[in-house]
Amino acid sequence: MSSVERVVEQSLLYDYYGELLTKHQRRIYEAAVFENLSLGEIAEESGISRQGVHDLIRRCDVKLAQYEETLHLLEKHEQAMALGESIEKMSLKLKSLYAAGKPDRPDSQTGDSRETDRVVSSEEETLDELLKLVRQLLEEI
């Protein structure tokens, strides 16, 4: 995992579970992760050793990861976001199917009934997929 990916992961876990840390832990963790201060700078500012700062940051990382293992809030959020994106795509597909004056949509009175059946079937399948995604999202929430 690259250092950028690690910071992103730490930030996301902190967003969800940071309030479960003590005020002291939050202050030092924020200085290390968000302010990118060195261990020496944090140690001097906090009045503890560099080793103490290092250990505290590692313990916070472990705690945040344990909270996620137990509660899965970040995982559930990512799943909900993916479902939301899928719903958005389905909505756009439906919008295109129902677009006014769509040239390839046959007129039910003058067009080929097989083509009308194909379009209606596609619309029904899209609606079924959208309904399924909405139900999944509601279960996640």
Side-chain angles (χ1 to χ4, degrees), residues 97-108:
L97 289 171
Y98 285 104
K102 184 176 177 190
D104 63 339
R105 184 174 179 127
D107 182 1
S108 60

Side-chain angles (χ1 to χ4, degrees), residues 2-27:
S2 75
S3 62
V4 172
E5 291 171 332
R6 186 173 172 351
V7 170
V8 168
E9 180 181 2
Q10 286 176 307
S11 298
L12 288 171
L13 289 172
Y14 185 82
D15 285 346
Y16 278 92
Y17 307 110
E19 289 298 316
L20 299 173
L21 301 174
T22 67
K23 186 175 182 178
H24 177 71
Q25 289 171 326
R26 284 194 310 266
R27 187 169 36 85

Side-chain angles (χ1 to χ4, degrees), residues 2-126:
S2 75
S3 62
V4 172
E5 291 171 332
R6 186 173 172 351
V7 170
V8 168
E9 180 181 2
Q10 286 176 307
S11 298
L12 288 171
L13 289 172
Y14 185 82
D15 285 346
Y16 278 92
Y17 307 110
E19 289 298 316
L20 299 173
L21 301 174
T22 67
K23 186 175 182 178
H24 177 71
Q25 289 171 326
R26 284 194 310 266
R27 187 169 36 85
I28 290 179
Y29 197 79
E30 287 173 3
V33 175
F34 301 119
E35 298 171 30
N36 202 24
L37 296 180
S38 70
L39 297 178
E41 292 170 319
I42 299 169
E44 186 178 314
E45 190 177 285
S46 303
I48 58 177
S49 69
R50 291 179 74 240
Q51 185 63 45
V53 171
H54 179 268
D55 290 346
L56 189 142
I57 293 167
R58 294 297 147 240
R59 283 194 311 272
C60 289
D61 281 336
V62 168
K63 273 188 170 187
L64 295 173
Q66 287 173 339
Y67 292 140
E68 176 60 17
E69 283 180 27
T70 302
L71 301 172
H72 305 285
L73 296 179
L74 181 57
E75 178 185 338
K76 289 176 183 178
H77 171 78
E78 289 172 350
Q79 288 172 348
M81 292 299 291
L83 284 171
E85 289 174 10
S86 295
I87 289 170
E88 182 179 21
K89 288 177 185 174
M90 285 286 125
S91 298
L92 291 172
K93 184 175 179 181
L94 277 174
K95 185 178 179 181
S96 71
L97 289 171
Y98 285 104
K102 184 176 177 190
D104 63 339
R105 184 174 179 127
D107 182 1
S108 60
Q109 294 176 353
T110 61
D112 180 4
S113 66
R114 289 175 299 190
E115 180 63 15
T116 302
D117 292 343
R118 185 192 63 75
V119 171
V120 169
S121 174
S122 178
E123 291 170 351
E124 288 173 352
E125 288 172 11
T126 303

